[in-house]
Structure formats: C-alpha cells, structure tokens
Amino acid sequence: MKAVCTLLFMLLAGVIFNLGLGTAEISYGEIIKMLFNFSPNAFTEHEAIIFLIRMPRIILAVLVGGALGTAGCVMQGLYRNPMADPSIIGISSGATLGAVSAIFFSLPGLYTQPFLAVTGGVLVAFLVLRLAVRQDKIQMMTLLLAGIAVSTFLSAVTSLMLSFCYEYQLKQFLFWTIGGLDGANWHHIHLIIVPIISGVIFLCFYACELNLLNLGEEEAQSLGLNPTKTRSRLLIAASLVTALAVSVSGTIGFVGLIIPHILRLLVGSDHRLLLPVSALGGSVFLLYADLIARTVFPLGEIRVGIVTALIGAPYFLYLLLQNRKGGLNF
Amino acid sequence: EILHSLVDKKRILALTYLAPDSGISNIAGSLAGIDNFIKADPERISDLKPDLVITSAFINPEAVAVLQKLGIPVVMYPLSDKLSEIYQNIRLIAKAVGEEARGEQMIKAMQNEIKQQPKKDIACLYYSLDGVVSGSGTQFDELLHLAGFTNAAAGISGRKSIDREKLIELNPDIIFVPVWYVNKETREGEGLVSSLLHDPALAGVRAIKNKRVYPLTDKHIICSSQYITEGWRDLLRFSKPTEGRKSE
C-alpha cells in the first residue's frame, strides 16, 4: 500500500513538473488560469504549448511507460527470469520493421506507420509463439532463442531497407530506433488510450494465473490451469500492449526490464500487487526520464530512449553481476 | 564542385562517390567524361595514380596518412561556414591546381552577384526535419542578412536543435525547410512542409498561419562551393513577396 501511495504521489508530482518545466517559461499561476479559462478554438502561444505539446506528451509517457512496465512484468513472470524484457521475443523489431516499411514505401495516411508497427509487432509475437509450441507446450528456451533469431533477422531486413533510403527517410527511422515522445499529439492518445488501458487491465486480471505458473508447470496444471493456453494469452496480450507503445513512441528500452525488477524487490513477487505497481512504476519512470530528456539541454532535447538506456544499461549490468554471484532471487 | 569548374575534365581522374547524387551534388548532371566515383579508400586512390588528392577536413585522417606515406600529395581544405571561407577554399584549390586566375574570376563573379539587399522586416527561420536551425554565425545567417531578412534564430549561436516550444516562441514570418528533393508539382519537400502546416500545436506560428513554409533545395544552401549563388537566388525569390508566393 505504501508503495502504491508513493508511486501515485510521484506520478502526480511528475505531471506537475512536466507541465511547468520546458523550453518556454510558463509560470504555474498562468497554467492554473489556463486550465480554468481557455478556448479550444483559439489558443494563445502558451496555451498551445501546454495543451497541444506538454499535455499529450505527459499522457503518452504515462500510457507508454505503464504499457512497457506491465508487459515487462508479465515477461519476467512467464520466463521466470528477471532479465526478461518485452522486446525479448522480437516485438520491438517487428514493430520497427512495420514502421520503417511505411517510411520506405512512403505510404500515406496519418495512422499508417502506427498501424503497421502494431501489425509487425503482433505478427512477430504469433510467429515466435508458433515456433516455440511443441506437443501443446511452450518451450520457454525455444521461445527465447526464436525471439533472438527472429529479432536479428528483422533487424537485418530493416538495415537492408535503410541502405536504400533517402537521407530524410533515415532521419524518420531514427525516431523508431531510439524512441522518443517529442512528436506526441492528441491523435496518438486517441489511437492508443483505450487499447493500452484495456490491455493493461486484462494482464492485471491474470495476476493469479501468473503466480500459479511460477510454481511450476505440473503444480499449475494440478491446480486446474492450462499452462500453454494461459502463457499464449499472456504473451499475445503483452505483445499487443508493447507493440501499441512502440507504434507511437518508437523503441524505448529498459523500462520493461528494470521497473518490474526494482519493484519486485520492494513489494515482493505476488503479481496481484506487482502487476499494477509495475504499470504505475513504468509510467513514473518514463515521465521523469522524459522530463530529463526535455530539460537537460537549454535549447533542444535528447530522445527519451537515450535517457532510459543511460539509466537502464548500468542497472542491467548490475543485475548480470548479481546473477553471476548467484544473488538474483525470483 | 570547385575543382570541376576550375580545371578541364581530362585532368580529373576521380571524384567522390557522392558527386553523381543529384540530391546533394550541384554537378550531378555534368559529369560526362569522368569515369571514377570513389570513396576515400587509400588503396583505390593509389591505384589511380593521381598527382594530387584534394579532400576536406572531415575525411578519415588515417586515410590521409596512408596516402602521404605512399608519396601522394594531399591538399586538405577546411570546412567553411562563411562566404569568406568559401573564397579562401577556392583560392587554396586554385593554387593547388595552378588555376589561380580562374579561381579569382570565380570569386569575383560570386561577389558581383551576392550583394547587400535593402532591409525588410521579415524574420526567417531555417528549420530541418530533426529540428535543427541555423542561428547566428552560420552561412545561412550571413546569406539571410545579405538578402535583407532577419534571422528568427539570431539568438541561437551556430546550428542547434530546437523543440516545438522554441519554434512557437521564435514565431518566424517565413520557415525555410531544407530538402533534398522538391516535388515540382506540389512544391512539397519530403513531407516536412505538410507536417509543419498540419501540426495543430504550431497553428499559431505566423509562418504556418500564413502558409509561408517553403522547401529550399539543401544542396544550394549547405554548400561550400561557388554554387552557393544558387542558394542566394533561391532566397532572393522570397524577398519579393508577390514572386515568392507565385512559386508556392
């Protein structure tokens, strides 16, 4: 309970900081006035910044962070490995290839890139799952290795397309490889808010099943669970939620990896608490990472994927060292 | 580009592999008679047995060192971000190839064309796909001032990336968008013009409200040769309000 309250407080503080801080200096007094007294038909300069740039960006950070945190928790639960990550079965590579295809072939339409990104991510998840199912059981090691192989193959195909891209297309591609929230707008929110919230709630409802799966295959079966069916549903749902996040933000690494792991140390391994807390934690982490990305340099910004990698990669190395010493408990 | 105008093509054994790319090269259409377009590969270069290699300062220094060890003279010209630096590079290359007189003629022609225009109260901004603007001290800044415009990014030093909040604050009258390829029918450059015009967050920016967002052929503007005069002519089109809009 304490953890949930702390995270909610941090989330609220993060929203307030992100609203008030940025390149343009807008006081909190002005923001409060704006919230109670604005006309959507004629934004002033500062109103445009608050309502059309900062607000959608904050909401997107909460949605994407929550999606990646939840999906990461599910992946770590399914693999029973704290170093698992939503991109481990190639979802991010599939989503990236979908988006790059839209860029490469100059396909028109506001929603074409996000749609192809989601399609690419989910198709890869289905493919890898299909490869890993044998005698009605999911071979987790096969799932992992198939994910790596498919991911590598798709990355190669993406690189091949890039070899023939124009320079301006390469710049668009950069958005997908190092994720960011700088282009966030209300269209993105409309696109993903319902599916992501639905997906996260769906995954949270499977918390008990995840706990049972952690007891082991036979134990879970003896308690009335169909492990293969449950794992498949969870993998597909986690893949969909991840692909949705990638479709609007590009590949933001380490959120799904480090947030569930840190929170597991604080709240324990019971997924009934860990899943919703991972969603909250992912949102908080991405909110503050985006604040750093937007404000660390005076004029411009760096991509939030760089910030999460700078924080996440050292922590990942720490996990590896702990694992070598035999100190990682799951 | 400088060398191509200074000497007879028979004297040119090879040019950079980028020369035939019409998106970034101002001489892509006039390379008949030059057979080799290569990368900075010392092995390939030495195979051609040149008397002189002319290269820029951002070439791999190890490649230059290898060429010098092979006894091939190398002339390196520094990067330029001012007209005066372009003139210096023309003189440097002209001297290296023994065409000083032609070099001076080239410079004089440029100076006769690029002259201070009457001042206009129009703030322009150079804004690229990744949000990079050309602030004070850049070549584009210099050209804008000579054309009589003010640079909306004058408060920013050099070429820097800005976010949309800063773009709203700068509020330019005209936004120039550098592109490699401009669609002659739609005047669209690689989607950036329409993405700016349709971004609801930027609707209040003067240039976007008045639809004064124009693609500029980047090879004319980010140019270190005499072809900067093409960029100059591109800018001058917009200094005459009616004619600038005719080209939209």
Side-chain angles (χ1 to χ4, degrees):
Chain A
M1 201 57 202
K2 214 171 156 184
V4 172
C5 291
T6 307
L7 284 171
L8 281 170
F9 175 75
M10 288 175 73
L11 184 70
L12 184 62
V15 169
I16 293 170
F17 287 140
N18 272 284
L19 263 181
L21 297 173
T23 311
E25 285 181 21
I26 307 175
S27 68
Y28 282 103
E30 202 181 334
I31 294 172
I32 292 168
K33 271 188 208 161
M34 274 184 221
L35 290 171
F36 291 107
N37 185 21
F38 77 98
S39 166
N41 299 319
F43 284 122
T44 62
E45 185 183 294
H46 282 176
E47 280 171 353
I49 289 171
I50 293 295
F51 292 114
L52 299 178
I53 296 179
R54 290 186 190 175
M55 257 190 202
R57 191 160 174 159
I58 289 167
I59 296 172
L60 204 67
V62 169
L63 288 172
V64 168
L68 294 176
T70 315
C73 184
V74 167
M75 290 296 179
Q76 288 175 12
L78 287 175
Y79 281 96
R80 297 169 71 188
N81 189 318
M83 290 191 283
D85 176 88
S87 60
I88 208 165
I89 59 167
I91 304 163
S92 300
S93 305
T96 302
L97 180 61
V100 167
S101 303
I103 297 166
F104 184 75
F105 294 110
S106 300
L107 298 176
L110 183 66
Y111 300 112
T112 308
Q113 278 184 33
F115 175 74
L116 285 178
V118 172
T119 307
V122 173
L123 280 177
V124 165
F126 270 112
L127 171 67
V128 169
L129 194 60
R130 189 75 187 85
L131 289 169
V133 169
R134 203 192 308 163
Q135 292 171 347
D136 282 338
K137 282 191 181 168
I138 299 176
Q139 312 292 325
M140 295 311 285
M141 186 52 71
T142 311
L143 191 71
L144 173 66
L145 293 172
I148 292 170
V150 168
S151 209
T152 309
F153 176 76
L154 293 178
S155 298
V157 171
T158 306
S159 298
L160 181 65
M161 284 170 114
L162 291 176
S163 311
F164 299 104
C165 266
Y166 289 116
E167 190 224 14
Y168 71 89
Q169 291 176 317
L170 283 174
K171 286 179 182 174
Q172 288 180 54
F173 169 68
L174 195 65
F175 166 79
W176 293 94
T177 45
I178 307 172
L181 302 170
D182 44 314
N185 57 53
W186 288 106
H187 288 300
H188 291 139
I189 310 296
H190 293 145
L191 195 63
I192 65 166
I193 189 166
V194 169
I196 279 190
I197 291 176
S198 308
V200 167
I201 292 172
F202 177 87
L203 289 169
C204 289
F205 271 125
Y206 272 79
C208 290
E209 283 81 356
L210 261 174
N211 286 345
L212 290 177
L213 284 171
N214 277 339
L215 295 174
E217 197 89 359
E218 284 176 11
E219 287 81 359
Q221 226 163 6
S222 67
L223 287 165
L225 193 72
N226 184 328
T228 304
K229 228 181 203 172
T230 308
R231 281 207 170 94
S232 302
R233 276 186 199 149
L234 285 168
L235 273 169
I236 297 300
S239 303
L240 184 61
V241 150
T242 304
L244 281 164
V246 171
S247 73
V248 292
S249 66
T251 308
I252 299 177
F254 296 100
V255 179
L257 175 67
I258 66 175
I259 293 304
H261 184 75
I262 291 171
L263 291 170
R264 191 175 292 107
L265 297 170
L266 294 172
V267 305
S269 300
D270 185 349
H271 287 92
R272 289 173 297 177
L273 181 58
L274 185 59
L275 270 171
V277 157
S278 293
L280 213 45
S283 298
V284 169
F285 177 64
L286 200 57
L287 211 49
Y288 284 95
D290 195 43
L291 182 64
I292 295 170
R294 287 196 304 117
T295 55
V296 71
F297 291 110
L299 275 177
E301 57 182 81
I302 55 176
R303 304 198 70 82
V304 72
I306 295 173
V307 176
T308 59
L310 286 173
I311 299 169
Y315 186 76
F316 186 66
L317 288 171
Y318 161 75
L319 289 182
L320 283 174
L321 285 169
Q322 288 293 101
N323 200 27
R324 271 180 55 185
K325 289 178 193 168
L328 269 181
N329 294 318
F330 194 80
Chain B
E1 288 172 357
I2 296 173
L3 182 70
H4 185 264
S5 294
L6 282 177
V7 302
D8 196 278
K9 279 184 202 168
K10 286 183 201 153
R11 291 182 63 188
I12 302 176
L13 274 176
L15 290 175
T16 168
Y17 71 101
L18 296 167
D21 186 339
S22 59
I24 57 169
S25 166
N26 289 293
I27 55 171
S30 47
L31 297 173
I34 300 172
D35 299 323
N36 299 295
F37 302 98
I38 60 178
K39 292 192 178 179
D41 172 11
E43 211 175 300
R44 183 78 180 93
I45 294 171
S46 70
D47 200 39
L48 291 168
K49 296 181 179 43
D51 297 315
L52 177 70
V53 168
I54 299 169
T55 185
S56 67
F58 57 77
I59 210 77
N60 182 356
E62 284 161 5
V64 173
V66 169
L67 289 172
Q68 286 169 336
K69 275 190 193 150
L70 291 169
I72 299 172
V74 177
V75 166
M76 281 179 65
Y77 60 87
L79 296 174
S80 62
D81 206 15
K82 285 187 180 57
L83 285 172
S84 58
E85 289 168 1
I86 296 180
Y87 302 149
Q88 275 173 19
N89 284 340
I90 291 173
R91 287 191 177 104
L92 174 72
I93 295 170
K95 189 176 176 188
V97 298
E99 295 285 355
E100 289 97 325
R102 262 170 118 163
E104 290 303 322
Q105 268 174 12
M106 204 187 287
I107 291 168
K108 209 166 185 179
M110 289 171 71
Q111 287 170 334
N112 281 340
E113 188 165 354
I114 302 176
K115 283 183 178 158
Q116 182 66 57
Q117 301 295 305
K119 285 205 184 321
K120 298 162 267 291
D121 187 24
I122 299 175
C124 300
L125 184 74
Y126 172 104
Y127 186 80
S128 72
L129 184 62
D130 42 14
V132 173
V133 298
S134 279
S136 58
T138 61
Q139 189 167 275
F140 187 73
D141 178 64
E142 190 183 2
L143 284 178
L144 270 185
H145 281 114
L146 285 168
F149 294 118
T150 58
N151 188 351
I156 298 166
S157 176
R159 286 168 63 85
K160 296 237 164 60
S161 176
I162 64 168
D163 58 16
R164 288 185 296 166
E165 291 186 20
K166 192 66 185 173
L167 176 56
I168 291 172
E169 270 195 346
L170 292 178
N171 200 14
D173 296 302
I174 294 178
I175 296 175
F176 291 117
V177 165
V179 297
W180 277 23
Y181 304 96
V182 179
N183 181 310
K184 287 199 171 84
E185 283 171 19
T186 65
R187 297 302 299 167
E188 170 61 281
E190 297 141 12
L192 181 53
V193 172
S194 56
S195 72
L196 284 172
L197 289 175
H198 294 116
D199 188 337
L202 303 177
V205 175
R206 267 198 303 273
I208 290 165
K209 210 167 25 182
N210 299 324
K211 295 192 175 12
R212 299 205 75 186
V213 181
Y214 306 122
L216 270 189
T217 309
D218 209 18
K219 64 184 179 184
H220 294 168
I221 296 292
I222 306 298
C223 180
S224 303
S225 72
Q226 68 277 17
Y227 287 97
I228 192 69
T229 49
E230 294 290 337
W232 171 251
R233 284 174 212 141
D234 289 342
L235 277 182
L236 281 188
R237 277 183 18 240
F238 297 100
S239 66
K240 295 162 193 168
T242 323
E243 288 189 26
R245 287 188 194 217
K246 269 185 194 163
S247 66
E248 289 176 48

